[in-house]
Amino acid sequence: MFNLILFGPPGSGKGTQSEKIVDRFGLIHLSTGNLLRQEISEKTPLGLEAKNFMDKGQLVPDEVVIGMIDSCLEKHPEAQGFLFDGFPRTIAQAEALDKLLALKKTAISKVLALDVSEDELVRRLLERGKTSGRSDDTDESIIRKRFSVYKGETEPVATHYEKQDKFERIPGEGSVNDIFQKLSSAIEKKNEVAAQS
Ligand code: B4P
Protein backbone atom coordinates (compact mmCIF):
# COMPACT_ATOMS: atom_id res chain seq x y z
CA MET A 1 0.00 0.00 0.00
CA PHE A 2 1.08 3.57 -0.62
CA ASN A 3 -0.28 6.04 1.94
CA LEU A 4 0.45 9.71 1.34
CA ILE A 5 -0.17 12.78 3.50
CA LEU A 6 -0.44 16.08 1.64
CA PHE A 7 0.56 18.68 4.22
CA GLY A 8 0.63 22.47 4.25
CA PRO A 9 -1.10 25.62 5.54
CA PRO A 10 -4.67 26.64 4.65
CA GLY A 11 -4.84 27.56 0.97
CA SER A 12 -1.53 25.92 0.04
CA GLY A 13 -3.28 23.83 -2.62
CA LYS A 14 -3.81 20.53 -0.83
CA GLY A 15 -7.37 20.11 -2.16
CA THR A 16 -6.37 21.25 -5.68
CA GLN A 17 -3.41 18.88 -5.96
CA SER A 18 -5.16 15.97 -4.22
CA GLU A 19 -7.72 15.70 -7.02
CA LYS A 20 -4.92 15.29 -9.57
CA ILE A 21 -2.84 12.90 -7.46
CA VAL A 22 -5.71 10.47 -6.76
CA ASP A 23 -6.51 10.44 -10.47
CA ARG A 24 -2.98 9.62 -11.48
CA PHE A 25 -2.05 7.17 -8.75
CA GLY A 26 -5.39 5.49 -7.98
CA LEU A 27 -5.42 6.39 -4.28
CA ILE A 28 -8.54 6.95 -2.16
CA HIS A 29 -8.88 10.66 -1.30
CA LEU A 30 -9.70 11.38 2.35
CA SER A 31 -10.15 15.13 2.95
CA THR A 32 -11.32 15.99 6.45
CA GLY A 33 -12.27 19.49 5.23
CA ASN A 34 -14.55 18.02 2.53
CA LEU A 35 -16.00 15.44 4.91
CA LEU A 36 -16.80 18.16 7.46
CA ARG A 37 -18.35 20.46 4.84
CA GLN A 38 -20.50 17.52 3.67
CA GLU A 39 -21.74 17.02 7.26
CA ILE A 40 -22.49 20.76 7.47
CA SER A 41 -24.46 20.79 4.22
CA GLU A 42 -26.51 17.80 5.44
CA LYS A 43 -27.07 19.59 8.79
CA THR A 44 -26.07 16.50 10.80
CA PRO A 45 -25.35 16.92 14.56
CA LEU A 46 -21.63 16.44 13.78
CA GLY A 47 -21.84 19.10 11.05
CA LEU A 48 -23.58 21.59 13.32
CA GLU A 49 -20.90 21.09 15.99
CA ALA A 50 -18.05 21.37 13.43
CA LYS A 51 -19.44 24.57 11.88
CA ASN A 52 -19.02 26.44 15.17
CA PHE A 53 -15.29 25.72 15.13
CA MET A 54 -14.69 26.16 11.40
CA ASP A 55 -16.45 29.55 11.20
CA LYS A 56 -14.06 30.86 13.85
CA GLY A 57 -10.96 29.50 12.11
CA GLN A 58 -10.46 26.89 14.85
CA LEU A 59 -9.79 23.18 14.52
CA VAL A 60 -12.62 20.73 15.01
CA PRO A 61 -11.96 18.50 18.10
CA ASP A 62 -9.54 15.61 17.51
CA GLU A 63 -11.99 12.85 18.49
CA VAL A 64 -14.48 14.03 15.84
CA VAL A 65 -12.04 13.97 12.91
CA ILE A 66 -10.24 10.80 14.06
CA GLY A 67 -13.63 9.01 14.22
CA MET A 68 -14.45 10.22 10.70
CA ILE A 69 -11.14 8.94 9.31
CA ASP A 70 -11.50 5.60 11.11
CA SER A 71 -14.90 4.95 9.54
CA CYS A 72 -13.63 5.99 6.08
CA LEU A 73 -10.69 3.57 6.32
CA GLU A 74 -13.16 0.80 7.22
CA LYS A 75 -15.23 1.58 4.11
CA HIS A 76 -12.29 0.88 1.75
CA PRO A 77 -10.78 -2.52 2.64
CA GLU A 78 -9.63 -3.04 -0.98
CA ALA A 79 -7.79 0.30 -1.31
CA GLN A 80 -4.28 0.21 -2.77
CA GLY A 81 -3.50 3.37 -0.83
CA PHE A 82 -4.92 6.54 0.72
CA LEU A 83 -4.23 10.22 0.25
CA PHE A 84 -4.81 12.12 3.49
CA ASP A 85 -5.61 15.77 2.71
CA GLY A 86 -5.84 18.18 5.65
CA PHE A 87 -5.29 15.36 8.13
CA PRO A 88 -3.48 14.97 10.52
CA ARG A 89 -3.55 18.56 11.80
CA THR A 90 -2.40 17.89 15.39
CA ILE A 91 0.12 15.55 17.04
CA ALA A 92 -2.79 13.64 18.63
CA GLN A 93 -4.28 13.09 15.15
CA ALA A 94 -0.90 11.94 13.77
CA GLU A 95 -0.43 9.44 16.61
CA ALA A 96 -3.99 8.14 16.15
CA LEU A 97 -3.44 7.75 12.39
CA ASP A 98 -0.19 5.81 12.91
CA LYS A 99 -2.09 3.44 15.24
CA LEU A 100 -5.08 3.01 12.89
CA LEU A 101 -2.77 2.16 9.99
CA ALA A 102 -0.67 -0.21 12.13
CA LEU A 103 -3.86 -2.14 12.95
CA LYS A 104 -4.27 -2.60 9.19
CA LYS A 105 -0.60 -3.72 8.91
CA THR A 106 0.33 -0.62 6.94
CA ALA A 107 1.85 2.84 7.60
CA ILE A 108 2.36 6.31 6.15
CA SER A 109 4.76 6.03 3.19
CA LYS A 110 5.47 9.72 2.58
CA VAL A 111 4.48 13.23 3.74
CA LEU A 112 4.73 15.94 1.07
CA ALA A 113 4.43 19.52 2.37
CA LEU A 114 3.48 22.44 0.11
CA ASP A 115 5.54 25.56 0.88
CA VAL A 116 3.71 28.84 0.13
CA SER A 117 4.30 32.37 1.52
CA GLU A 118 1.67 33.84 3.84
CA ASP A 119 0.89 36.77 1.48
CA GLU A 120 0.13 34.35 -1.36
CA LEU A 121 -2.03 32.20 0.96
CA VAL A 122 -4.13 35.19 2.04
CA ARG A 123 -4.54 36.27 -1.59
CA ARG A 124 -5.70 32.79 -2.66
CA LEU A 125 -8.14 32.34 0.21
CA LEU A 126 -9.76 35.78 -0.18
CA GLU A 127 -10.07 35.08 -3.91
CA ARG A 128 -11.73 31.71 -3.23
CA GLY A 129 -13.99 33.37 -0.63
CA LYS A 130 -15.55 35.54 -3.36
CA THR A 131 -17.11 32.49 -5.02
CA SER A 132 -16.92 29.47 -2.69
CA GLY A 133 -19.52 30.54 -0.16
CA ARG A 134 -17.07 29.32 2.50
CA SER A 135 -17.52 31.52 5.57
CA ASP A 136 -13.96 30.76 6.75
CA ASP A 137 -12.51 32.34 3.57
CA THR A 138 -14.24 35.72 3.46
CA ASP A 139 -12.84 37.49 6.54
CA GLU A 140 -9.09 38.22 6.66
CA SER A 141 -9.02 38.10 10.48
CA ILE A 142 -10.44 34.53 10.41
CA ILE A 143 -7.88 33.56 7.75
CA ARG A 144 -5.06 34.96 9.98
CA LYS A 145 -6.52 33.00 12.91
CA ARG A 146 -6.30 29.82 10.81
CA PHE A 147 -2.60 30.54 10.16
CA SER A 148 -1.89 31.02 13.86
CA VAL A 149 -3.66 27.73 14.67
CA TYR A 150 -1.61 26.10 11.89
CA LYS A 151 1.66 27.40 13.37
CA GLY A 152 0.78 26.39 16.92
CA GLU A 153 -0.96 23.06 16.43
CA THR A 154 -0.25 21.72 12.94
CA GLU A 155 3.40 22.60 12.22
CA PRO A 156 4.63 20.27 15.02
CA VAL A 157 3.18 17.38 12.96
CA ALA A 158 6.07 18.01 10.50
CA THR A 159 8.61 17.10 13.20
CA HIS A 160 6.63 13.93 14.01
CA TYR A 161 7.18 12.68 10.44
CA GLU A 162 10.69 14.15 10.06
CA LYS A 163 11.70 11.86 12.93
CA GLN A 164 10.35 8.95 10.85
CA ASP A 165 12.33 10.21 7.82
CA LYS A 166 9.16 10.53 5.72
CA PHE A 167 8.86 14.31 5.35
CA GLU A 168 9.69 16.31 2.21
CA ARG A 169 8.99 19.96 1.31
CA ILE A 170 7.81 20.88 -2.20
CA PRO A 171 7.65 24.51 -3.50
CA GLY A 172 3.91 25.30 -3.70
CA GLU A 173 3.99 28.53 -5.76
CA GLY A 174 3.73 28.55 -9.54
CA SER A 175 1.29 26.87 -11.90
CA VAL A 176 -0.94 24.04 -10.64
CA ASN A 177 0.58 21.72 -13.29
CA ASP A 178 4.21 22.52 -12.43
CA ILE A 179 3.51 21.83 -8.75
CA PHE A 180 1.74 18.61 -9.70
CA GLN A 181 4.82 17.47 -11.69
CA LYS A 182 7.04 18.06 -8.64
CA LEU A 183 4.66 16.14 -6.38
CA SER A 184 4.40 13.28 -8.90
CA SER A 185 8.21 12.97 -9.13
CA ALA A 186 8.49 12.83 -5.35
CA ILE A 187 5.82 10.09 -5.25
CA GLU A 188 7.42 8.08 -8.06
CA LYS A 189 10.83 8.30 -6.34
CA LYS A 190 9.35 6.11 -3.61
CA ASN A 191 8.95 3.48 -6.33
CA GLU A 192 6.03 1.87 -4.54
CA VAL A 193 3.25 3.30 -6.66
CA ALA A 194 2.87 3.52 -10.41
CA ALA A 195 1.14 6.29 -12.33
CA GLN A 196 -2.10 5.08 -13.91
CA SER A 197 -2.14 7.70 -16.70
P1 B4P B 1 -9.50 22.37 4.49
O1 B4P B 1 -10.74 22.00 3.77
O2 B4P B 1 -8.48 21.30 4.72
O3 B4P B 1 -8.96 23.51 3.57
P2 B4P B 1 -7.78 24.51 3.43
O4 B4P B 1 -6.68 24.17 4.37
O5 B4P B 1 -8.42 25.85 3.56
O6 B4P B 1 -7.30 24.50 1.90
P3 B4P B 1 -6.35 23.73 0.89
O7 B4P B 1 -4.92 23.70 1.24
O8 B4P B 1 -7.02 22.39 0.59
O9 B4P B 1 -6.44 24.69 -0.37
P4 B4P B 1 -6.99 24.57 -1.84
O10 B4P B 1 -6.35 23.50 -2.65
O11 B4P B 1 -8.48 24.49 -1.75
O12 B4P B 1 -9.86 22.95 5.96
C1 B4P B 1 -10.93 23.83 6.25
C2 B4P B 1 -11.25 23.86 7.77
O13 B4P B 1 -11.79 22.56 8.18
C3 B4P B 1 -10.08 24.04 8.76
O14 B4P B 1 -9.78 25.41 8.95
C4 B4P B 1 -10.64 23.38 10.05
O15 B4P B 1 -11.52 24.22 10.75
C5 B4P B 1 -11.43 22.20 9.53
N1 B4P B 1 -10.62 20.96 9.48
C6 B4P B 1 -10.26 20.30 8.35
N2 B4P B 1 -9.50 19.21 8.66
C7 B4P B 1 -9.38 19.21 10.03
C8 B4P B 1 -8.68 18.35 10.94
N3 B4P B 1 -7.95 17.30 10.52
N4 B4P B 1 -8.75 18.64 12.27
C9 B4P B 1 -9.47 19.67 12.71
N5 B4P B 1 -10.14 20.53 11.90
C10 B4P B 1 -10.11 20.31 10.56
O16 B4P B 1 -6.52 25.95 -2.46
C11 B4P B 1 -6.95 27.20 -1.97
C12 B4P B 1 -7.20 28.16 -3.12
O17 B4P B 1 -5.99 28.41 -3.85
C13 B4P B 1 -8.20 27.63 -4.15
O18 B4P B 1 -9.08 28.66 -4.51
C14 B4P B 1 -7.33 27.22 -5.33
O19 B4P B 1 -8.01 27.36 -6.57
C15 B4P B 1 -6.16 28.17 -5.23
N6 B4P B 1 -4.90 27.58 -5.71
C16 B4P B 1 -4.48 26.31 -5.50
N7 B4P B 1 -3.28 26.10 -6.09
C17 B4P B 1 -2.92 27.31 -6.68
C18 B4P B 1 -1.79 27.75 -7.42
N8 B4P B 1 -0.75 26.94 -7.72
N9 B4P B 1 -1.74 29.04 -7.83
C19 B4P B 1 -2.78 29.88 -7.56
N10 B4P B 1 -3.89 29.52 -6.86
C20 B4P B 1 -3.96 28.25 -6.42
Side-chain angles (χ1 to χ4, degrees):
M1 261 180 119
F2 182 82
N3 299 307
L4 175 69
I5 295 174
L6 198 54
F7 191 78
S12 55
K14 303 183 294 289
T16 306
Q17 296 294 338
S18 291
E19 311 254 327
K20 297 171 79 66
I21 293 172
V22 293
D23 252 22
R24 177 174 286 188
F25 295 101
L27 306 175
I28 302 284
H29 184 194
L30 293 186
S31 158
T32 39
N34 289 351
L35 291 168
L36 291 166
R37 281 186 289 278
Q38 178 75 27
E39 298 280 345
I40 292 172
S41 74
E42 290 169 4
K43 297 194 170 54
T44 65
L46 190 158
L48 295 175
E49 186 195 353
K51 187 172 185 338
N52 277 326
F53 294 96
M54 291 167 78
D55 281 352
K56 293 186 201 128
Q58 295 168 353
L59 294 180
V60 174
D62 286 334
E63 59 275 19
V64 174
V65 283
I66 292 167
M68 272 186 348
I69 288 289
D70 190 12
S71 59
C72 285
L73 292 176
E74 291 298 323
K75 278 186 206 144
H76 296 282
E78 307 305 325
Q80 52 173 319
F82 291 94
L83 191 170
F84 298 94
D85 160 12
F87 180 89
R89 263 176 154 98
T90 63
I91 291 286
Q93 291 179 19
E95 288 172 348
L97 179 61
D98 289 350
K99 282 191 193 138
L100 287 174
L101 292 177
L103 286 173
K104 297 185 186 314
K105 309 256 180 296
T106 183
I108 289 299
S109 315
K110 187 90 199 164
V111 182
L112 296 176
L114 292 166
D115 252 349
V116 179
S117 70
E118 192 160 316
D119 283 351
E120 170 69 5
L121 294 171
V122 174
R123 194 192 63 71
R124 286 184 190 180
L125 292 175
L126 287 173
E127 192 56 37
R128 181 172 67 184
K130 288 181 194 163
T131 53
S132 67
R134 274 180 60 170
S135 44
D136 56 346
D137 282 346
T138 38
D139 179 333
E140 188 165 336
S141 68
I142 307 276
I143 291 174
R144 299 270 176 205
K145 168 75 186 168
R146 287 162 67 194
F147 293 150
S148 85
V149 169
Y150 177 80
K151 282 176 193 146
E153 297 189 49
T154 306
E155 266 180 5
V157 173
T159 315
H160 177 86
Y161 289 107
E162 271 163 355
K163 283 186 201 149
Q164 299 181 17
D165 205 16
K166 293 177 175 168
F167 190 85
E168 182 175 343
R169 289 186 194 277
I170 303 287
E173 292 188 41
S175 79
V176 169
N177 277 337
D178 284 352
I179 298 163
F180 176 57
Q181 290 315 323
K182 289 181 192 134
L183 290 167
S184 295
S185 306
I187 293 168
E188 280 159 358
K189 248 192 335 200
K190 281 295 288 183
N191 242 350
E192 287 170 26
V193 67
Q196 301 200 329
S197 56

